[in-house]
Amino acid sequence: MRNTLLILALAAVSAISCGTEKGKEQIEQETAMNERNNLELDYSDHHSYLKPKEAVVKHLNWKATIDFNQKTLAATATYTIDNIKGVDTIYLDVRNLAINKVNRDDSQKDLDIVVHKKEPFLGDQLAIPITAATKTISINYVANAEGADALQFLNPVQTAGKKHPFLFTQSQAILARTWLPCQDSPGIRFTYEAEVTVPKELMALMSAKNPTEKNESGVYHFTMDQPVPSYLFALAVGDLEYKSLGKNTGVYAEPSVIESAAYEFEDMQDMVDTAETLYGPYQWGVYDVIVLPPSFPFGGMENPRLTFATPTIIAGDKSLTALIAHELAHSWSGNLVTNATWEDIWLNEGFTVYFENRIMEEIFGADFANMLALLSYQDLQDEIKWLNSENRSADTRLRVDLEGRNPDDGLTGIPYDKGFFLMKLMEETVGREEWDNFLKTYFDTFKFKVMTTDSFLDYLDKELLSKNPEWETTIQPNKWIFEEGLPENCPKITSTKFEAVERELTKWTNGGKASAIESSEWVTPQWLHFINLINDTLSQEQMSELDATFGFTQSGNSEIKAAWFEKVIPNNYAGLENAVEEFLIEVGRRKFLTPIYKALLKSEGGLSAAKAIYEKARPNYHAVSSESMDKLLGYK
Ligand code: BES
Ligand code: ZN
């Protein structure tokens, strides 16, 4: 499927565009102008207490020590600030932090800070007195496992190696404030440097320039010279090894996982090169991935220079690496051009799903990308149905209203899949070449800047739609963005590969043998389509015939396994209780947990069965997942 000519061309382009990393000065010059522009944009973020137009943090110097016995992180954060308006107070967001001491460069004594108590999920507003002369402030504080929802301290049994503890963070959307007092709004960017002390047998990594080897002292140094928003501040500590995958790509994992991870991600350099050819230079120097233990609550998280990933994408056959393409794509849509608030998250996720699909098309071919698009379409239909049934139709708009709500509420399939289809509609309407040029210029124009839905629409109109009056009426972007449901002009996808699956399934449903299903050429999306189409009223014999023939329960492919369990439960397929339970205890990825627990809840006697499993599983989950499951199972 691979297009050799194209790959050769890509290699030539990337050899020129990627190489030496940018100098600090160049980055500073490039970003200074953009930051000034950020402050001119008029928007307010319901999820942060800072006043960015008065005084902002520009740089962070962070010194932290990780204590695995106490499960604490003790740190001193020194902030270089810009007191834009010469105000007497700077505001930071904090949640559940024990603040010991606050100091200032232009004053000898400890400062009296005021903590304004606010909403529990938003945390508190920290008010620090400053003067027009203040250059730096510093805060000494402690975060602990209990209060810091971003952190997950893992016991050795929860790791692959079972010998050493592990720690990882997850800051998006508003959890950075649980381990760092910060201006926790995605439009505010700062550079950082850090010194992190960890037990000697472990290595620390951040969303920054990283070590590739352990050192004797357990003290690690980091710099991030490009300004990043707080939600991309990240740390992982564990028994880790590094393996290079190409000129600016590599992978980190526990020793027992590193080889399989390196094999699975063999196409990563190709993905980076392809992405650069599509939408311009990769701006972050290196692109590495760290494979975390299975309790990581997401598939992936696009921390700059170091994507955090679930081990459940290691299937042994590279079939789940669209997730890497997705997190890589965020290096443009999200990390470079950033949603101003969590109400604009479709600008991050919708663009990224589209970009991901384009990378997959280049590397694995149009048929494959098309299947992923069709799965996305089916997810979108299901999601809209479900949101409507929950009286949440308003959340089917791309631009969501999250005032007074947790930004996590906006994290449905809508920004992803509806966002993707709007991008696809624009591509189909204006033509791929025009559309690609538009996107490339968009990323370049707004790099290191913030984007609101309104400013995107202005730009779209000015740079693209105004060129042809028909485009606006064909696309109707306002309808997509501000109205509920799925507009009728949504692109239709067909896939001959999926049609083949449907034919085979029909033959079987009509009494054919499972062994007669012609599936030897099927790839993962086809298997997922097959399982998704199985109905909920099969007999035990039919279920066991499928399982015996295709080995779904034993599958090394977590997506296939999770989709299968979603059918095992409503079909009351006996004997798999333990397999389902084991999966729910080991894996903390919310995308898998939600549908499986939902299926349990719907089944007879399901609530008590779900609760019995959850009681055992909950201690293994990160707060992101346990919060959601607490709600789902009626604990909150
Ligand atoms: N940035 C998101 C994860 C996220 C979003 C965390 C909002 C917290 C708040 C990440 O890029 C993502 O979308 N992950 C998906 C990957 C998938 C769509 C390929 C996931 O984890 O499932
Ligand atoms: Zn994403």
Side-chain angles (χ1 to χ4, degrees):
M1 242 180 243
R2 200 173 282 235
N3 183 333
T4 329
L5 269 182
L6 177 73
I7 302 294
L8 285 176
L10 296 183
V13 172
S14 62
I16 304 164
S17 61
C18 180
T20 53
E21 290 191 27
K22 278 189 184 174
K24 220 174 161 169
E25 248 169 54
Q26 193 191 346
I27 294 164
E28 272 165 17
Q29 275 174 4
E30 273 185 15
T31 52
M33 205 180 74
N34 286 341
E35 283 174 19
R36 236 170 283 132
N37 273 330
N38 277 352
L39 297 175
E40 284 160 19
L41 263 187
D42 214 12
Y43 68 91
S44 61
D45 180 356
H46 305 306
H47 300 113
S48 171
Y49 295 121
L50 69 112
K51 297 189 179 174
K53 295 191 178 184
E54 296 182 351
V56 283
V57 169
K58 307 296 297 178
H59 180 76
L60 164 70
N61 183 321
W62 193 64
K63 241 183 164 169
T65 303
I66 313 300
D67 183 335
F68 279 94
N69 295 321
Q70 306 286 325
K71 299 197 169 157
T72 58
L73 177 160
T76 301
T78 303
Y79 311 82
T80 307
I81 64 166
D82 180 3
N83 189 347
I84 304 164
K85 295 265 169 73
V87 288
D88 60 8
T89 313
I90 187 168
Y91 298 97
L92 304 184
D93 298 297
V94 287
R95 194 178 141 213
N96 296 345
L97 291 173
I99 305 223
N100 298 327
K101 226 162 93 129
V102 181
N103 292 91
R104 200 167 79 194
D105 65 329
D106 60 333
S107 159
Q108 295 303 313
K109 54 181 195 326
D110 292 355
L111 301 179
D112 291 328
I113 46 144
V114 185
V115 180
H116 298 288
K117 293 270 174 214
K118 305 264 173 154
E119 290 273 347
F121 75 91
L122 291 178
D124 306 324
Q125 182 190 48
L126 185 61
I128 302 171
I130 53 172
T131 71
T134 306
K135 296 240 157 19
T136 65
I137 49 176
S138 77
I139 304 179
N140 178 271
Y141 67 96
V142 180
N144 65 42
E146 218 79 324
D149 278 357
L151 307 180
Q152 193 177 12
F153 284 91
L154 300 175
N155 296 321
V157 292
Q158 293 169 283
T159 67
K162 317 277 178 219
K163 276 210 223 81
H164 299 283
F166 205 105
L167 166 70
F168 66 80
T169 65
Q170 169 57 41
S171 296
Q172 196 184 9
I174 53 167
L175 300 180
R177 66 191 68 175
T178 71
W179 63 296
L180 173 75
C182 61
Q183 296 189 317
D184 203 4
S185 181
I188 306 300
R189 308 176 89 99
F190 56 94
T191 51
Y192 74 83
E193 63 199 290
E195 180 187 294
V196 181
T197 304
V198 300
K200 287 189 181 52
E201 55 298 350
L202 304 182
M203 175 151 73
L205 300 171
M206 293 192 79
S207 47
K209 275 199 189 109
N210 276 313
T212 53
E213 274 174 16
K214 283 185 196 162
N215 68 39
E216 300 277 287
S217 64
V219 181
Y220 293 89
H221 292 95
F222 306 89
T223 55
M224 175 38 98
D225 295 333
Q226 285 125 311
V228 290
S230 52
Y231 80 90
L232 297 174
F233 191 60
L235 170 71
V237 181
D239 179 18
L240 293 161
E241 264 180 31
Y242 170 79
K243 194 162 176 174
S244 168
L245 295 172
K247 68 178 188 307
N248 65 332
T249 52
V251 61
Y252 291 88
E254 289 186 66
S256 66
V257 180
I258 193 83
E259 287 307 325
S260 55
Y263 174 77
E264 203 77 21
F265 304 150
E266 234 170 30
D267 293 315
M268 229 162 82
Q269 185 67 51
D270 208 0
M271 286 185 178
V272 174
D273 299 345
T274 303
E276 289 196 300
T277 315
L278 283 170
Y279 298 125
Y282 178 73
Q283 298 277 349
W284 307 89
V286 306
Y287 179 75
D288 294 330
V289 171
I290 175 174
V291 178
L292 296 168
S295 67
F296 185 57
F298 291 105
M301 176 64 213
E302 66 272 25
N303 297 314
R305 296 179 70 104
L306 183 66
T307 282
F308 282 24
T310 170
T312 60
I313 51 168
I314 301 183
D317 61 1
K318 306 179 182 171
S319 62
L320 301 178
T321 50
L323 186 130
I324 301 292
H326 179 96
E327 303 315 331
L328 168 66
H330 272 306
S331 306
W332 286 259
S333 41
N335 298 2
L336 217 49
V337 185
T338 308
N339 54 205
T341 73
W342 300 117
E343 300 184 318
D344 306 297
I345 194 171
W346 76 278
L347 293 171
N348 275 20
E349 298 300 344
F351 278 59
T352 297
V353 175
Y354 174 80
F355 194 164
E356 161 200 345
N357 201 263
R358 293 294 303 276
I359 296 172
M360 295 307 283
E361 180 183 321
E362 293 294 341
I363 298 181
F364 297 98
D367 271 353
F368 196 84
N370 210 38
M371 288 189 267
L372 297 178
L374 201 39
L375 287 175
S376 160
Y377 184 77
Q378 291 160 358
D379 287 348
L380 179 55
Q381 302 275 352
D382 291 348
E383 190 75 339
I384 292 176
K385 235 188 260 160
W386 180 73
L387 287 168
N388 288 340
S389 76
E390 296 276 301
N391 292 323
R392 287 178 59 189
S393 306
D395 289 340
T396 65
R397 296 173 301 187
L398 277 177
R399 192 2 174 118
V400 280
D401 182 1
L402 295 173
E403 191 168 0
R405 302 167 69 191
N406 194 315
D408 217 36
D409 291 355
L411 199 63
T412 66
I414 299 299
Y416 290 82
D417 300 315
K418 188 176 176 185
F420 168 65
F421 277 97
L422 172 57
M423 301 280 114
K424 227 174 150 53
L425 173 63
M426 298 213 246
E427 180 208 303
E428 285 181 7
T429 308
V430 309
R432 188 170 264 198
E433 199 182 334
E434 186 92 40
W435 175 239
D436 280 355
N437 282 335
F438 167 79
L439 276 187
K440 204 169 180 168
T441 313
Y442 168 79
F443 290 130
D444 190 51
T445 309
F446 298 104
K447 59 178 181 237
F448 299 104
K449 273 197 199 179
V450 58
M451 187 58 58
T452 61
T453 298
D454 287 340
S455 53
F456 170 71
L457 281 171
D458 286 346
Y459 183 76
L460 178 73
D461 203 42
K462 207 166 85 228
E463 296 299 317
L464 191 67
L465 301 186
S466 59
K467 289 185 183 177
N468 183 337
E470 275 172 26
W471 289 348
E472 173 97 40
T473 39
T474 309
I475 298 168
Q476 298 188 274
N478 284 305
K479 191 167 173 164
W480 277 78
I481 292 167
F482 300 111
E483 292 182 25
E484 296 171 5
L486 189 59
E488 272 164 15
N489 60 356
C490 182
K492 306 280 174 292
I493 314 262
T494 53
S495 158
T496 51
K497 303 269 175 203
F498 274 16
E499 284 159 12
V501 169
E502 289 154 23
R503 275 197 306 275
E504 293 302 312
L505 181 64
T506 311
K507 275 200 263 167
W508 178 73
T509 320
N510 292 339
K513 280 207 159 52
S515 56
I517 291 177
E518 280 173 40
S519 63
S520 57
E521 305 274 296
W522 286 5
V523 289
T524 298
Q526 285 173 293
W527 283 113
L528 293 175
H529 188 54
F530 180 82
I531 297 170
N532 290 342
L533 286 177
I534 296 174
N535 61 39
D536 293 351
T537 51
L538 297 186
S539 66
Q540 297 288 307
E541 291 69 36
Q542 285 175 306
M543 288 297 282
S544 64
E545 188 196 7
L546 289 179
D547 207 11
T549 313
F550 303 120
F552 294 141
T553 303
Q554 302 306 325
S555 175
N557 185 313
S558 60
E559 293 273 355
I560 290 179
K561 205 166 171 164
W564 172 241
F565 288 161
E566 267 184 71
K567 297 292 171 177
V568 160
I569 296 162
N571 278 297
N572 291 313
Y573 180 35
L576 281 197
E577 295 78 5
N578 286 343
V580 174
E581 176 170 321
E582 259 169 44
F583 187 78
L584 291 175
I585 289 175
E586 181 176 330
V587 177
R589 187 175 170 188
R590 188 167 67 175
K591 178 187 164 197
F592 291 154
L593 303 184
T594 308
I596 298 179
Y597 278 113
K598 269 190 194 164
L600 278 172
L601 288 182
K602 270 202 249 160
S603 68
E604 224 184 288
L607 179 64
S608 59
K611 284 190 166 170
I613 297 176
Y614 188 52
E615 232 162 73
K616 292 184 222 165
R618 193 178 187 280
N620 289 324
Y621 295 163
H622 183 273
V624 160
S625 289
S626 55
E627 283 275 321
S628 302
M629 297 312 119
D630 283 354
K631 276 190 205 140
L632 188 67
L633 297 180
Y635 289 99
K636 268 191 186 158

